[in-house]
Amino acid sequence: MILKDNTPPSFSFVADFDGDMSGMFNKKMPETLPILPLRNMVLFPGIVAPVSVGRESSLKLIANAEKTSGYIGVVGQIDANVQSPNREDMYNGGVLAKVVKTFELPDGGTTVLLQSYGRFSLGEFTRVRPFIRAKVDAVPEILPEEDDKEFKAYVDACRDLTLRYMKMNENIPTEATFAVKNVTHPIFLINFICTNLPFDTDEKDALLSEGDLKLRAKGLLQLLNREVQYIQLRHDIQEQTREELDKQQKEYFLQQQIRNIQDELGEASNEDVVRLREKAAPLNFPEKVAETFENELKKLERMSPQSPDYHVALNYLQTLTSLPWGKETEDDLNLKHAEQVLNKEHYGMEKVKERILEHLAVLRLRKEAKAPILCLYGAPGVGKTSLGRSIAESMGRKYQRISLGGVHDESEIRGHRRTYIGAMPGRIVKSLIKAESDNPVFVLDEIDKVASNTHQGDPQSALLEVLDPEQNKAFHDNYLDVDYDLSKVFFIATANSLNTIPRPLLDRMELIDVEGYITEEKIEIAKRHLLPRINKELNVEKKREIKVATSGLEFIIEKYTRESGVRQLEKQLQKLSRKVAFLYAKEEEVPGKGKALTAKEIQLLLGKPLFSRDRYQGNKYAGVVTGLAWTSVGGEILMIESSLSRSKAPRLTLTGNLGDVMKESAMLALEYVKAHADRLNIDYRIFEQWSLHVHVPEGATPKDGPSAGITITTSIVSALTQRKVRANVAMTGEITLRGKVLPVGGIKEKILAAKRAGITDIVMSSENEKDILEINEKYIKGLNFHFVDDISQVLSFAIMDEQVDNPIQLIVETEVTKTTDNEHKPFGIQPLKD
């Protein structure tokens, strides 16, 4: 090859040699040689190659070699990034070489032309300054026989594949193709191809280490076959991509190439894919979920990151791997600790606490026991929601609250299908992701306020699957599209009323009535929880903390709140604390002067009372009887008033904003009295000439329910006979047309209301006796209970023989004469006859 002055060749070429081939490849070598490390290059025997030299040590080596006209060793460097290689950074073999010419380039670089000879094995370094010098041992080349047909076949195949490869590879210059065609010597051709084709340096070193030229040719042929197949495949992909392009797809040209390559290779290196695999590795996927994950991950690998579907698939897989598959928290089964936690945060609520402790006891015996599904229902502010957090703390579980108030879309529960834009999982799955546990405590808050049968589905029906122990072990979220086991989740639903909850949903839950707090319980809650919390929030010194006497707390509860819970009580105490803090800030005199505030001092701070409790009004009037009522804010006494008026068209009038059930109770009471007028010594003609009016005061307040039945009956009898009702008596119970007294609810609240009003005797159904046994004795001390089965027993106890002052004269007109009923026939309630 003819070289132009100061212009190095662009590629290596074959040395001109017509002598003994063995002499060239098996030259005598000295014991040590200067070593030139080559980066990204391996030089083979018999080749003249241009080498760029840049390192200072390498430039000194070349200068020394030119000066002495001596031989050097050329060895490939394993890691091209190492600037000052040691022995372990070099391959084990290299070639003997001689500097032919040095070229100084215009950019300041240096290129040296090297002529290579025989091979050697590299020994230890003898020095590294000013350039590397190392021990070497000559390694002979095993040359094939001249008439070796197998070797010639290998050479011809290598030449054909090389020319084919160069034709398909646009990066190889045409001069290289010309050189391959014109190299006639088979040995030089093999070494020329090994030096020039862009194989990996490790593969080239393996070829150089092979001393048998025939085996080296065979290894080269294998590499050429692989490279030709790869470049042919790449060429086919490009052709396929080019055919699919149109005007809208041009900007995705590169991504389409990547997709086709991944289709053929079946693999891809994507950071998102790698992260997802790492995230999924510790998860305990069920078999079907694992299969779904792998399928979706393979789809993601084949997608372009710029494709809109890519982020949809990525979000799905991120959601799938964020769920706590197989992750559980260990339950704290210490019953004493659980009881302490529950009692610390909540006063009362014994039924709920007992149920939680029962479940923990079952878990101690059987670890795989199904989690209960509770529904706590009761008035607002009684602590249903906060109780869920305490339950989670007592069991050592994670806590999540799901607010269902106002949910009207079924997808909020079950999730959206992924076909929709912006699809996401439902609240159940989202809460599981937040909880990071398979067995958390879920509080489904305000389950009674979930909409039903909307145009967006039926969320209440969707909850059936969540709260059914037989179904929730395979809960199906539309977004996930795989089943998830919810059987270990402890569900606690809360509601204010059961009336709006469908019956099938109620059947799936264990209902626990969280009753409102009575005044005595509210006082304890204020002392134990509310006042300490308010003082802590104020962060004032000990002597300025708010203190309220027991009588003062009762005064606030009775006069400034009307509720079952303690929310308004807490607000009033906060208001009280603000008033006191304001006076301290103004340095004015504070009522109480640091002592516990009394009712009088509280009224000075809070102003005029907002509410008042009814008091017993005595028995001076006929037809006035004290009943007992349950309201959402606790028990109340209820005054029933009956009066008579002479009328040509007698009728029953009911006033006081009464509901249908209460009106029916009044009708039943009147019908019973009419039917038993003789036994009650009442002239039946009174009903034909006198109208009866039954009124329940506080007409602005709606009233309903059957529990006033015996009270209305007693009131009517008292009005018709003008007899007094026994003093300090209150009653509650439903009446039937036959006069039977049936049990009613809200006994605890009613009894405490009666006690506050000064009542001493309470009449109720004998079937309500069991409710009395559940009430703390200190709350019923001083009360006398009279349990009855029939209205006649009520009347015998409650109606006295003594008439009221100034009784109404009930005159009954007959065809012969007019008589006064009270004078015509003496009144006395007689026992009912069989």
Side-chain angles (χ1 to χ4, degrees):
M1 182 174 183
I2 301 173
L3 296 177
K4 297 179 182 179
D5 291 341
N6 297 323
T7 305
S10 58
F11 58 91
S12 60
F13 54 93
V14 176
D16 295 328
F17 186 77
D18 294 326
D20 181 18
M21 187 68 64
S22 177
M24 181 178 187
F25 288 157
N26 297 314
K27 279 185 176 292
K28 186 179 180 181
M29 293 189 187
E31 291 184 358
T32 63
L33 281 173
I35 302 298
L36 178 65
L38 297 184
R39 288 190 274 204
N40 300 317
M41 182 178 180
V42 176
L43 191 58
F44 283 75
I47 303 300
V48 179
V51 177
S52 296
V53 180
R55 283 181 282 207
E56 183 180 352
S57 59
S58 299
L59 290 171
K60 290 179 180 180
L61 184 149
I62 297 300
N64 180 71
E66 282 188 311
K67 183 178 180 181
T68 60
S69 299
Y71 288 100
I72 65 172
V74 180
V75 182
Q77 190 173 313
I78 296 175
D79 186 356
N81 295 318
V82 177
Q83 186 64 26
S84 301
N86 296 318
R87 175 61 188 88
E88 58 270 16
D89 299 318
M90 310 286 285
Y91 287 112
N92 293 325
V95 293
L96 186 68
K98 199 167 188 177
V99 177
V100 177
K101 190 172 183 179
T102 302
F103 300 91
E104 299 294 337
L105 303 180
D107 59 0
T110 301
T111 297
V112 61
L113 200 61
L114 299 178
Q115 164 74 59
S116 62
Y117 296 96
R119 297 182 305 128
F120 62 79
S121 63
L122 183 65
E124 62 181 7
F125 288 1
T126 58
R127 70 179 186 187
V128 293
R129 294 287 183 273
F131 47 78
I132 299 172
R133 194 171 188 91
K135 294 180 179 179
V136 295
D137 293 316
V139 178
E141 290 275 78
I142 302 174
L143 304 177
E145 299 293 334
E146 291 186 6
D147 58 350
D148 192 331
K149 294 182 179 180
E150 184 180 1
F151 177 67
K152 289 182 179 180
Y154 280 141
V155 172
D156 291 340
C158 287
R159 188 194 302 272
D160 293 341
L161 284 174
T162 301
L163 292 172
R164 185 178 172 190
Y165 175 82
M166 289 179 171
K167 183 179 180 181
M168 290 187 292
N169 195 330
E170 299 175 355
N171 297 324
I172 296 179
T174 55
E175 293 88 345
T177 304
F178 179 78
V180 171
K181 289 180 179 180
N182 286 278
V183 176
T184 56
H185 201 288
I187 295 176
F188 283 132
L189 178 63
I190 295 299
N191 288 344
F192 175 78
I193 296 172
C194 289
T195 301
N196 285 281
L197 286 193
F199 302 146
D200 186 75
T201 53
D202 289 341
E203 294 175 332
K204 287 189 176 186
D205 180 69
L207 291 175
L208 179 63
S209 300
E210 180 56 64
D212 191 330
L213 262 294
K214 185 190 291 186
L215 295 178
R216 187 183 298 168
K218 182 179 179 181
L220 175 61
L221 183 61
Q222 291 175 344
L223 293 177
L224 285 169
N225 270 314
R226 184 196 69 189
E227 293 298 318
V228 168
Q229 289 178 10
Y230 175 75
I231 200 168
Q232 181 65 52
L233 179 60
R234 189 171 63 182
H235 178 74
D236 292 344
I237 291 171
Q238 288 174 340
E239 289 297 323
Q240 179 183 352
T241 305
R242 191 174 293 112
E243 292 173 1
E244 293 176 0
L245 288 179
D246 56 23
K247 292 182 181 180
Q248 289 77 25
Q249 293 175 318
K250 285 183 179 179
E251 58 183 302
Y252 298 112
F253 174 79
L254 183 59
Q255 286 73 29
Q256 186 68 31
Q257 281 187 314
I258 295 172
R259 184 183 297 118
N260 290 330
I261 290 172
Q262 291 174 339
D263 284 338
E264 294 294 336
L265 297 181
E267 60 182 7
S269 59
N270 183 304
E271 290 185 7
D272 290 330
V273 172
V274 172
R275 281 197 293 266
L276 286 169
R277 287 198 183 279
E278 291 175 352
K279 196 174 180 181
L283 298 178
N284 186 20
F285 283 137
E287 184 178 349
K288 290 185 178 179
V289 178
E291 183 180 346
T292 301
F293 175 77
E294 285 298 327
N295 291 338
E296 293 294 329
L297 197 62
K298 288 177 181 178
K299 290 180 185 177
L300 184 71
E301 288 177 326
R302 294 193 294 270
M303 288 182 185
S304 161
Q306 281 71 36
S307 170
D309 291 338
Y310 180 86
H311 294 284
V312 174
L314 179 61
N315 288 339
Y316 172 74
L317 289 170
Q318 287 175 338
T319 302
L320 203 62
T321 54
S322 297
L323 282 165
W325 300 96
K327 293 182 182 178
E328 294 181 13
T329 55
E330 186 175 352
D331 287 335
D332 185 351
L333 303 180
N334 188 325
L335 297 182
K336 289 185 178 179
H337 172 259
E339 189 172 9
Q340 287 175 354
V341 172
L342 293 173
N343 290 333
K344 176 184 175 184
E345 298 296 332
H346 293 82
Y347 183 81
M349 297 187 173
E350 301 304 329
K351 290 182 181 178
V352 186
K353 294 176 182 176
E354 183 181 357
R355 180 64 184 87
I356 302 306
L357 295 176
E358 286 173 359
H359 177 61
L360 289 179
V362 172
L363 284 176
R364 293 186 67 173
L365 300 175
R366 183 168 173 261
K367 298 253 177 172
E368 298 300 321
K370 287 185 177 180
I373 299 174
L374 308 181
C375 179
L376 310 180
Y377 69 96
V382 295
K384 301 183 295 297
T385 304
S386 59
L387 184 62
R389 186 184 295 275
S390 296
I391 291 171
E393 183 182 350
S394 67
M395 298 179 68
R397 292 192 179 190
K398 299 291 185 67
Y399 167 82
Q400 285 295 317
R401 173 180 167 271
I402 303 174
S403 178
L404 298 178
V407 171
H408 59 276
D409 188 351
E410 180 183 334
S411 299
E412 290 284 328
I413 308 299
R414 283 202 178 116
H416 304 79
R417 300 188 185 279
R418 279 188 288 153
T419 52
Y420 297 109
I421 296 174
M424 62 181 67
R427 295 194 182 189
I428 302 297
V429 171
K430 285 181 181 178
S431 297
L432 281 169
I433 293 173
K434 292 179 183 177
E436 299 178 345
S437 167
D438 258 348
N439 61 340
V441 173
F442 273 6
V443 173
L444 304 178
D445 210 9
E446 311 291 358
I447 197 173
D448 57 325
K449 296 173 181 62
V450 178
S452 63
N453 291 325
T454 69
H455 67 283
Q456 293 173 311
D458 190 350
Q460 287 184 338
S461 298
L463 286 170
L464 293 177
E465 182 183 6
V466 176
L467 299 178
D468 190 337
E470 298 302 320
Q471 297 183 51
N472 65 12
K473 59 186 176 183
F475 172 69
H476 190 87
D477 185 275
N478 292 329
Y479 181 79
L480 292 181
D481 205 25
V482 293
D483 292 339
Y484 196 92
D485 186 2
L486 298 178
S487 62
K488 297 174 184 176
V489 178
F490 194 152
F491 286 104
I492 301 175
T494 69
N496 297 129
S497 171
L498 301 181
N499 296 332
T500 57
I501 303 177
R503 190 75 228 172
L505 192 55
L506 285 175
D507 289 342
R508 284 161 170 78
M509 299 185 289
E510 183 178 340
L511 304 179
I512 298 179
D513 184 7
V514 183
E515 298 172 342
Y517 298 115
I518 57 177
T519 300
E520 289 77 4
E521 289 174 333
K522 290 180 181 179
I523 291 172
E524 289 297 322
I525 291 171
K527 288 180 178 179
R528 298 185 186 188
H529 303 290
L530 301 184
L531 282 173
R533 185 160 69 225
I534 290 170
N535 284 323
K536 185 177 180 181
E537 290 172 357
L538 283 175
N539 194 25
V540 295
E541 53 188 84
K542 190 76 175 175
K543 65 180 182 179
R544 292 191 174 187
E545 287 184 349
I546 306 301
K547 302 180 184 68
V548 183
T550 301
S551 60
L553 289 172
E554 184 176 358
F555 180 72
I556 295 174
I557 294 167
E558 298 287 344
K559 301 296 184 180
Y560 293 91
T561 68
R562 185 64 63 90
E563 59 176 349
S564 290
V566 291
R567 283 180 184 160
Q568 295 301 321
L569 173 59
E570 184 174 15
K571 289 179 181 179
Q572 292 298 328
L573 290 173
Q574 288 173 340
K575 182 179 178 181
L576 191 67
S577 68
R578 291 195 301 270
K579 295 283 187 182
V580 173
F582 179 70
L583 292 175
Y584 274 127
K586 292 180 66 176
E587 298 182 354
E588 295 183 5
E589 185 178 355
V590 178
K593 297 181 181 180
K595 298 180 180 179
L597 297 173
T598 61
K600 182 179 179 181
E601 294 158 348
I602 289 171
Q603 186 167 347
L604 288 174
L605 292 168
L606 295 183
K608 186 178 179 181
L610 304 176
F611 306 101
S612 61
R613 293 283 185 181
D614 291 332
R615 302 296 299 176
Y616 176 66
Q617 298 178 4
N619 63 344
K620 294 190 298 182
Y621 303 98
V624 179
V625 183
T626 304
L628 297 174
W630 178 92
T631 69
S632 61
V633 295
E636 296 283 351
I637 64 170
L638 195 68
M639 307 307 298
I640 306 293
E641 302 175 349
S642 297
S643 65
L644 296 169
S645 59
R646 194 170 182 82
S647 174
K648 293 183 179 179
R651 61 193 179 93
L652 173 63
T653 303
L654 303 173
T655 56
N657 201 352
L658 309 184
D660 291 338
V661 176
M662 199 166 184
K663 289 178 180 178
E664 290 172 358
S665 295
M667 295 176 188
L668 282 172
L670 180 58
E671 290 301 320
Y672 175 85
V673 173
K674 286 181 178 180
H676 299 83
D678 288 341
R679 297 183 183 181
L680 297 171
N681 289 333
I682 298 174
D683 193 329
Y684 71 92
R685 291 172 295 180
I686 292 177
F687 303 110
E688 297 173 353
Q689 300 175 22
W690 293 77
S691 288
L692 179 63
H693 187 159
V694 177
H695 175 68
V696 184
E698 296 188 24
T701 305
K703 308 167 193 72
D704 204 0
S707 63
I710 63 173
T711 312
I712 296 174
T713 305
T714 305
S715 174
I716 292 174
V717 171
S718 174
L720 290 172
T721 60
Q722 293 295 294
R723 303 291 178 179
K724 284 186 177 181
V725 177
R726 188 179 297 273
N728 299 314
V729 170
M731 56 189 69
T732 182
E734 181 180 355
I735 186 176
T736 70
L737 198 57
R738 296 174 297 150
K740 297 295 181 183
V741 179
L742 303 181
V744 292
I747 295 299
K748 180 181 177 182
E749 289 82 0
K750 292 176 179 179
I751 288 173
L752 292 166
K755 186 177 180 180
R756 286 193 299 268
I759 300 296
T760 58
D761 293 87
I762 299 176
V763 181
M764 64 179 66
S765 170
S766 57
E767 293 185 37
N768 281 124
E769 185 175 2
K770 63 182 184 297
D771 300 309
I772 304 298
L773 300 176
E774 295 181 0
I775 303 174
N776 194 314
E777 289 186 5
K778 67 180 181 180
Y779 297 147
I780 59 177
K781 186 178 180 180
L783 294 175
N784 300 312
F785 297 96
H786 304 271
F787 301 105
V788 298
D789 295 307
D790 195 279
I791 189 64
S792 61
Q793 296 173 279
V794 178
L795 298 175
S796 295
F797 173 76
I799 301 294
M800 301 175 66
D801 289 336
E802 180 185 356
Q803 284 192 326
V804 297
D805 297 335
N806 302 315
I808 298 174
Q809 300 300 315
L810 301 179
I811 300 172
V812 179
E813 294 183 355
T814 64
E815 293 180 359
V816 179
T817 183
K818 296 179 180 179
T819 65
T820 301
D821 182 61
N822 293 337
E823 296 175 355
H824 177 75
K825 185 185 295 183
F827 175 75
I829 298 176
Q830 304 297 327
L832 292 175
K833 298 177 182 179
D834 293 335

